[in-house]
Amino acid sequence: MIIFQRCSLKRILQHAQCYLRSLENSKSLARAFPSVLLHGHRNTSSVPGIAERTLIAVKPDGVQRRLVGKVIQRFEQKGFKLVGLKMLQVSEDLLSQHYRELRTKPFYPSLVHYMTSGPVVVMVWEGHNVVQTSRAMVGQTNPAEARPGTVRGDFSIHVSRNVVHASDSLEGAQREIQLWFQGQELLTWTCCNHTNTYEE
Ligand code: UDP
Ligand code: MG
């Protein structure tokens, strides 16, 4: 009986040590996070820029029209990796920082009204050249000029209701990701079909 109790106690202590070690590991991961947040995971692949990240948002009109799934599907089918996703009602404060370059434009007040009129779904996608490629996938700002096959070209008509947002540059993407997401909301994970997407 005493031997049995010692054995179980030993096992419990081993489990506790193991748990403490895993806690320590996750703390050091969290400390390393800021650069992971901006640049994705460390690039161990031979493909340059594979961990580039961009911010994509389905705007209130897209959410109301049940287009969230279609937008996500396009990015998934392309082969990009989803590393962050959330739905929120945007505050005017966040929006004014997001669209800070547009504050003096005549359409700015109506843009704020539209963007705060309902929930948005905001995402971070990762992959080679994702900033430039996703701008091409989203299409021109004015849907009248957006080509068929693009999100705006296929799902919208007017510039004031153009369904999606996509960061327009690497610097813009990094700024917007920091603005919309906390570090711990973005995940670093390995796709099981990596070698079918990139040549190593
Ligand atoms: N917008 C608008 N009227 C305009 C131009 C822009 O309502 O004449 C809105 C539109 O929703 C657009 C957003 O403002 O997506 C941001 O404008 P930007 O020029 O940054 O275009 P985007 O980067 O979204 O293509
Ligand atoms: Mg823009």
Side-chain angles (χ1 to χ4, degrees), residues 24-69:
E24 200 43 51
N25 281 345
S26 57
K27 272 190 212 153
S28 57
L29 263 182
R31 278 196 293 274
F33 193 76
S35 108
V36 173
L37 164 66
L38 295 178
H39 310 294
H41 55 78
R42 203 146 30 95
N43 190 0
T44 48
S45 163
S46 56
V47 185
I50 201 171
E52 186 174 305
R53 289 181 168 185
T54 198
L55 187 102
I56 303 293
V58 182
K59 296 177 177 182
D61 53 326
V63 175
Q64 291 290 343
R65 293 174 53 207
R66 279 74 157 174
L67 294 174
V68 175

Side-chain angles (χ1 to χ4, degrees), residues 48-109:
I50 201 171
E52 186 174 305
R53 289 181 168 185
T54 198
L55 187 102
I56 303 293
V58 182
K59 296 177 177 182
D61 53 326
V63 175
Q64 291 290 343
R65 293 174 53 207
R66 279 74 157 174
L67 294 174
V68 175
K70 286 207 157 56
V71 173
I72 291 177
Q73 189 177 34
R74 287 182 179 219
F75 283 84
E76 280 195 325
Q77 284 180 337
K78 180 73 178 164
F80 289 129
K81 183 162 70 173
L82 183 61
V83 295
L85 171 83
K86 62 182 174 185
M87 184 183 216
L88 71 157
Q89 179 87 34
V90 194
S91 67
E92 277 194 35
D93 182 42
L94 173 57
L95 198 70
S96 70
Q97 292 177 64
H98 176 77
Y99 281 138
R100 66 181 184 190
E101 282 110 17
L102 303 178
R103 280 181 205 159
T104 55
K105 300 280 182 193
F107 59 82
Y108 183 74

Side-chain angles (χ1 to χ4, degrees), residues 114-169:
Y114 148 60
M115 287 295 293
T116 55
S117 67
V120 300
V121 172
V122 63
M123 301 169 255
V124 177
W125 288 89
E126 182 182 292
H128 177 66
N129 209 28
V130 67
V131 173
Q132 200 185 337
T133 305
S134 56
R135 285 292 288 190
M137 289 166 67
V138 161
Q140 294 285 310
T141 305
N142 185 349
E145 291 159 18
R147 296 163 69 134
T150 64
V151 177
R152 287 167 172 168
D154 288 350
F155 299 126
S156 59
I157 297 172
H158 195 262
V159 68
S160 64
R161 301 289 183 272
N162 59 3
V163 181
V164 273
H165 166 80
S167 308
D168 65 2
S169 63

